[in-house]
Amino acid sequence: MPIQYYIYLSLALFSIGIIGVLTRRNAIIVFMCIELMLNAVNLLLVAFSKMHHGIALATDPATTAGIDGQLFVFFIMVVAAAEVSVGLAIIVMMYRNVHSVDINFLNRLKN
């Protein structure tokens, strides 16, 4: 599969995530759009890692080059899982206190 397809899919996912973050006011939807942008970057990183591994494998069959990107994606996913747990805990506490998940209400909490 050509690398261009991965780039186009990743660009579409990242654009949907940016549009969602900029236009939506629900904290859970914004949080999901941020995760969508993170997954788009992960997809692109794995695609480039696979491409680099294929090129390195053609020159040296015993190489492990190109695996680094996939390991990096694994650590990004671990950090994203921690981010999800902390973010959802903050959203739940906000809902318990304010009975709303509207992010415009957070501006009123400053005053």
Side-chain angles (χ1 to χ4, degrees), residues 12-81:
L13 289 174
F14 197 81
S15 299
I16 291 170
I18 285 185
I19 290 170
V21 166
L22 294 177
T23 60
R24 304 298 282 188
R25 295 293 168 234
N26 188 341
I28 295 174
I29 302 290
V30 169
F31 195 61
M32 285 183 358
C33 289
I34 291 171
E35 290 298 320
L36 187 66
M37 293 184 329
L38 186 63
N39 285 330
V41 171
N42 282 342
L43 173 70
L44 201 58
L45 190 59
V46 167
F48 281 125
S49 173
K50 182 180 179 224
M51 182 187 71
H52 180 65
H53 180 68
I55 292 170
L57 196 63
T59 59
D60 182 18
T63 186
T64 60
I67 306 285
D68 299 337
Q70 294 174 8
L71 290 173
F72 192 60
V73 166
F74 176 73
F75 288 117
I76 289 173
M77 291 176 118
V78 168
V79 170

Side-chain angles (χ1 to χ4, degrees), residues 107-111:
N107 290 334
R108 289 183 265 165
L109 291 177
K110 290 185 213 175
N111 298 332

